[in-house]
Each structure stands twice: as structure tokens, then as C-alpha cells.
Amino acid sequence: MRAALETRHLVRRFGGLVATNDVSITLAPGARHALIGPNGAGKTTLINLLTGVLTPSSGTISLHGVDISAASRSRRVALGLVRTFQINQLFPGFTPLQTVGLAVSRRLGLDRHMFRRIGSDRRVVEGSVDVLERFDLMSVMNRPTASLPYGKQRLLEIAVAIACGPRVLLLDEPAAGVPEGERGEIMDGLAALPADVTVLLIEHDMDLVFRFADRISVLVAGGLLLEGSPAEVAEDPRVRAVYLGDAGHG
Amino acid sequence: MSAREQNIAAASQALAETSRVKPAEIVFWLAALASFFLLPEQHLLLSEVLITGLFALSLDLVLGYGGIVSLGHAAFFGFGCYAAGLATKHGVTDPLLGLALVAVLTGALGFATSFLVLRGSDLTRIMVTLSVGVLMGELANRMAWLTGGADGLQGVAPGLLLGRFEFDIFGQVAYAYTLCVAFVLFVLARRFVHSPFGWSVRAVKENALRTSAIGIPVNRRLVVVYTLAAAYAGIAGGLLTQTTQFASLDLFSFHRSADLLLILIIGGTGYLYGGLIGALVFKLIQDAIANVTPQYWEFWIGLLLVSFVLIGRERIVGLPGLVWRRLRGRA
């Protein structure tokens, strides 16, 4: 079976600093894969390499067998690699419906129309409602995004990504900053992700990681420490040392 | 009806709602039409206001929708003025054909300079747009053999409109012409801003990072909207030359671009009526103050601007409504 997302010997240097050191990760289609590691382990650099914000110093990235190491950001999105952001990147003045509607229009290739009204195509409306229902956002679909509770904004962050129709979704700390009372919503949102979408989750919240992921990779100082099932990772003394011992965890 | 069908109907309606024609809009255009019949002595002034409004609308496409701060938008307006004048003098006397030509030429200039605007942040953009404006003005000055230099472009004599109507000295045909062109351009702009493309341009202003993350090419969107806005500004300039039969270097001057920003501050950005209403209010205030203190009107305009910024446009515009609600609440 061809991997949904695969990196081979991925390296990224910043001057003398090796931020990503020989990282090879393989995600099977439909996988729920988590990437954990202490602060400074290179998680953000890795996600920037995957999405095309940074170019690798060496090594390759492929998406369903297509080499995307040099592809532009919008090209990667068109090929089905979509991300969410650790800090909300939404359209504050748009409503969730408008936000999702624009993403669905783009997915259907209707975003270049200049004289047709947005939503005049029924597929855009249906696609938007699909996504809003899935993430329980129908009730707030007409409120300005800036006025939504933080948890709803985090959900919208995921909803917009799904509206783009990804085959591989990169979730960058979806629960970051969400108050305790709204965490359940995020959990439900993650559970509602379509089964055929491959997910790479980057997260600090270990509770969430162990509930969600079926594979976990541990990144330390730019390199892979180990990869395994949640049980294997939880048992591993090296992981414990990294998280509870000298390296600390933020 | 199932819950899903209800949701689809609700979403469909909500998306349609944003672009629905509101009663106030019909009133606005009816009032514009009525002004043609009720204010025959003011046709020249009204034409000028409407042209300024159209020019402001073009800046709003760039600023209010695209989020690009420009201090050199007069470059396109001035270019349009001269292009229309020169086209008329060199054989293209049909006004509508002239306008179409001007739109294409100014659009091309906008396209060529849009790449400068993509570079850098707001401050860089302000400086770059300002420089383009200054460059255009100086070019027109130096190419006196073509443009008439400091004397201005004189003897512009447009042909009959639609082959029938001659531009009269009272500005009757001029105003009718301006009104029709402005209305058509407004309707097109309205369709544009409510289209998926228009929404994607707005999205760039709201959050460029997210826009690129959903796969929309940010820079290409800005190039298109900048080109379109340049063409609009050019048409506004063309209308001015055709209706006043004159073009001068003053059209390129910095204060035109600055006044335009003022108009948008008064009228509001990010909605198409902002430019039109702003231009009218600006003109009325300008005339009213000039009648009282001819020498110092700029001082009062300045004071007004400061108060707009300090108090906030929403509160000033909302004041009558607030007073009305208070009074009604007491009664």
C-alpha cells in the first residue's frame, strides 16, 4: 500500500543549527499519527517543511507517491495536503459560513468566478453545511468569527481545513489555549474527522494524544527518538526521561 | 423537511442575504436619478462629485477590499484623464469607445505597477504608490509636446454621445452620461465583490496566511484587484476629461490621492457606497466651509478629519439614530 505522506531523510539546517535531522516518517492512508516532543524539538520546523513554508536542505517529501518537496504552498493544498494553525488563523470579519463557503468554492474550482454570487452554486451550500454540521458549528454559522467562543474558533480552524477537501491533514496543536470546559468540543471535533483523511497531529496535551492517535513519533532535538503504538511510547524509558527528566516539558 | 434540508435552506439564504439589494440602495439610486431632473443648475457640480465618487470607489476596491494602502491612486486617475484627452484629439472621438480604450490602457498600467505593490508591507506600499504618482505627474510635465505640459491639455472635443447627443455647456448630457457610466460600473463592482473571487480578495485582507493555506494564490488575487481598480480610476479620469474637455497636471498631484483617502475615511471603507457618499459629503462640507471662510477651509477639513479619527466614524454617523432612539425612548 502506498503511503499517504512520507518523508525520507529530511534535513533542515539554519546556519550551524540542525532543526530537522534526518527525519523519516511514513503515514499509512487513514492513519491517526501523532508527533510529540518537548519544546524546541523541531515540530514547527517539520510542519513548515511539510507545508512548503520552508524548503528542505536535503531529503524528500511525498504525498500519495508524488514528490512535493519543491511544490508551492497552494500546489500542496491542491494536491490535498492541508494544515491548521497553532494560533488561530481565521477571517475575523467573516462568519463561519462565509469562511467555509470560500474554502469549498476553492475546492470546487469556483473561486475565480467574478460575476456569480458566492453560494449561487448548490454544491457550495451543501458542502459548507456538511462541514458545519460535522463540527457542530451550524448554530453559530452567521456570527462574526471574532465574536465566537475560543473553543468554537478552534473547531472552525479544523472545519476550514476539512472544507478544503484534504487527503492528509496536519493538525498543529488543536487544543492549544482551549479552556478546560471547552476541551470536550475539541475532542468531539477530532473524533468527527472523516475516517479516510490521514491525520498528523502535533500536540502537547498527552491526554489528547493518547486518546486520538494509533501511532506516535517522538521528536527530540530535531531527530526521531522512536516511533510506536501509544502503549509502546508510554512504556519507553527514554520518552519518560525526555518528558519527566532533564529536558523538561512546556 | 429534514433537518439537513432546513440547514441547507438556511445556509443558502444566509449566503444570498449578503448580496441582496437593500431598500436603501434603491433609494440611493432613485435619488441620484431624481437629482438629474430636480437640480438642473447643479449638473456640472454633480458630475464632478460623481466622478470623484467613482474614483473613490476604485480606491476602495484596493484599500477596503484588498487591504492595500495606496497614496498614489491619482496616478491612474491622471493617466486616464490624459489618455482620454489624447485619444479624443487623435481621432477616437466617440466617448464610449474612448472610455473603453482608457480602461484597457489604465488597466495595463495598473497591471504593470501592481508587482511593485506586492513587495513589502504597508509603509513600503505607501512609498511605492506615492512614487508612481509623482513619476506619472513628472512624465506628463516633461512630455509637453504630447500633453501640453504646464498649460494642460486643451482643445479636447469629444464627439456626439451614441452618435446623437452633443455635450452642452450646462452639463446636462455630461451628467446623464456620467450617471449611466457610474451606475453600470457600480453594478459590475457590486457583482464582483459578492462573487467568490471578491470574497477571496476580502479574505486576503482579513488574513493572508489563512487565504494561502486554503490554496488561494494571494498575490495573483491582489494583482487582479489592483488592475481592476486602476481601470476604474482611469475611467473616472476619462469621464472628467470628456465632460470638462480639459486635463491638467494638477490631476496627478498628491493632494488628490490624499483627498481621496479623506473621502473614504468620511464615507467608510469596505462597502461600495462609502466612496460615493464620502465624495458627496466631502464636496458639501468643502463648499459650506468655503462659503464661510474661503481662506481657511483646509483648516476646518483638517479639524474634521481629526475628529473623525478621534471620535470614530461609526459614532458620528450613528449619532442621529442614537438621538432618535433616545427621544423615542423618553416619549
Side-chain angles (χ1 to χ4, degrees), chain A residues 73-74 77 82-85 88-94 97-99 102-103 105-106 110-119 122 124-126 129-130 133 138 141-142 157 160-161 164, chain B residues 3-5 7-12 14-19 188-189 191-200 202-204 206-217 220-221 224:
Chain A
R73 274 186 266 181
S74 55
V77 176
V82 181
R83 71 170 294 184
T84 67
F85 293 88
N88 280 341
Q89 300 292 341
L90 297 166
F91 307 131
F94 285 24
L97 175 63
Q98 290 162 346
T99 308
L102 182 62
S105 299
R106 168 69 193 177
L110 303 169
D111 62 308
R112 273 177 307 222
H113 284 296
M114 292 189 188
F115 292 103
R116 244 183 273 166
R117 180 174 66 71
I118 193 165
R122 194 173 162 82
V124 172
V125 180
E126 286 177 353
V129 168
D130 281 344
E133 280 179 341
M138 278 305 295
M141 71 171 180
N142 289 323
E157 182 79 28
V160 181
C164 298
Chain B
R4 184 179 151 76
E5 280 166 18
N7 283 343
I8 287 174
S12 179
L15 282 175
E17 186 63 24
T18 49
S19 61
L188 290 177
R191 292 215 71 151
F192 173 78
V193 300
H194 289 121
S195 70
F197 196 104
W199 276 96
S200 73
R202 252 188 262 194
V204 172
E206 290 271 326
N207 189 333
L209 181 62
R210 166 55 78 185
T211 310
S212 69
I214 62 178
I216 291 169
R220 264 187 261 168
R221 294 297 145 105
V224 171

Side-chain angles (χ1 to χ4, degrees), chain A residues 4 28-32 64 134 166-168 193-199:
Chain A
R32 295 285 182 269
H64 286 276
R134 184 183 284 274
R167 299 161 85 188
V168 176
L193 290 171
D196 57 339
V197 174
T198 310
V199 181

Side-chain angles (χ1 to χ4, degrees), chain A residues 154-199:
Chain A
R154 290 309 283 163
L155 276 179
L156 181 58
E157 182 79 28
I158 303 171
V160 181
I162 288 297
C164 298
R167 299 161 85 188
V168 176
L169 177 66
L170 307 178
L171 290 172
D172 193 357
E173 299 200 25
V178 177
E180 205 52 46
E182 295 173 37
R183 288 212 160 205
E185 274 189 314
I186 304 295
M187 293 278 192
D188 293 345
L190 293 182
L193 290 171
D196 57 339
V197 174
T198 310
V199 181

Side-chain angles (χ1 to χ4, degrees), chain B:
Chain B
M1 205 164 27
S2 74
R4 184 179 151 76
E5 280 166 18
Q6 276 176 7
N7 283 343
I8 287 174
S12 179
Q13 203 185 350
L15 282 175
E17 186 63 24
T18 49
S19 61
R20 196 172 56 86
V21 178
K22 290 159 194 70
E25 296 187 65
I26 299 170
V27 170
F28 179 91
W29 287 106
L30 283 180
L33 184 65
S35 70
F36 177 78
F37 296 104
L38 301 178
L39 300 166
E41 293 91 37
Q42 307 293 334
H43 280 165
L44 289 171
L45 182 73
L46 287 170
S47 295
E48 192 194 320
V49 169
L50 199 54
I51 287 168
T52 310
L54 190 59
F55 180 29
L57 184 152
S58 82
L59 179 63
D60 197 23
L61 285 176
V62 169
L63 178 72
Y65 290 90
I68 301 170
V69 187
S70 167
L71 261 185
H73 211 54
F76 303 123
F77 186 71
F79 182 84
C81 285
Y82 275 91
L86 290 170
T88 308
K89 289 188 86 165
H90 292 91
V92 186
T93 53
D94 183 78
L96 283 173
L97 190 64
L99 271 197
L101 183 67
V102 165
V104 171
L105 290 175
T106 326
L109 179 68
F111 180 76
T113 52
S114 69
F115 297 95
L116 297 170
V117 174
L118 294 181
R119 298 181 160 269
S121 57
D122 281 350
L123 189 61
T124 325
R125 284 170 174 173
I126 287 177
M127 296 315 292
V128 165
T129 51
L130 188 60
S131 329
V132 171
V134 173
L135 271 174
M136 294 303 299
E138 199 48 44
L139 265 177
N141 188 26
R142 292 304 291 268
M143 294 167 71
W145 54 270
L146 183 69
T147 62
D151 296 332
L153 190 66
Q154 298 181 10
V156 178
L160 301 179
L161 184 60
L162 300 173
R164 284 184 63 184
F165 304 104
E166 190 183 355
F167 286 101
D168 57 295
I169 56 163
F170 305 108
Q172 195 182 3
V173 169
Y175 187 45
Y177 174 51
T178 307
L179 206 51
C180 289
V181 171
F183 180 70
V184 169
L185 288 180
F186 182 87
V187 169
L188 290 177
R190 199 179 181 285
R191 292 215 71 151
F192 173 78
V193 300
H194 289 121
S195 70
F197 196 104
W199 276 96
S200 73
V201 170
R202 252 188 262 194
V204 172
K205 185 193 174 196
E206 290 271 326
N207 189 333
L209 181 62
R210 166 55 78 185
T211 310
S212 69
I214 62 178
I216 291 169
V218 168
N219 281 355
R220 264 187 261 168
R221 294 297 145 105
L222 292 181
V223 166
V224 171
V225 77
Y226 199 74
T227 303
L228 182 74
Y232 264 57
I235 292 174
L239 279 173
L240 188 70
T241 304
Q242 289 178 345
T243 55
T244 61
Q245 313 193 344
F246 180 69
S248 74
L249 290 178
D250 169 64
L251 296 165
F252 287 105
S253 65
F254 169 69
H255 81 84
R256 289 230 171 222
S257 295
D259 280 356
L260 205 63
L261 278 176
L262 244 171
I263 285 169
L264 280 185
I265 289 170
I266 294 172
T269 59
Y271 86 115
L272 296 173
Y273 288 93
L276 300 179
I277 294 170
L280 183 64
V281 172
F282 183 74
K283 193 74 199 167
L284 290 176
I285 292 174
Q286 200 180 23
D287 278 7
I289 297 173
N291 279 336
V292 183
T293 58
Q295 300 98 316
Y296 301 118
W297 75 269
E298 282 187 318
F299 168 81
W300 293 105
I301 285 279
L303 191 68
L304 186 81
L305 175 65
V306 171
S307 55
F308 258 93
V309 172
L310 284 181
I311 303 171
R313 195 180 59 84
E314 276 67 33
R315 267 179 274 180
I316 292 177
V317 174
L319 196 62
L322 190 72
V323 171
W324 170 246
R325 276 194 299 277
R326 283 276 166 84
L327 287 174
R328 215 171 42 168
R330 261 188 219 150

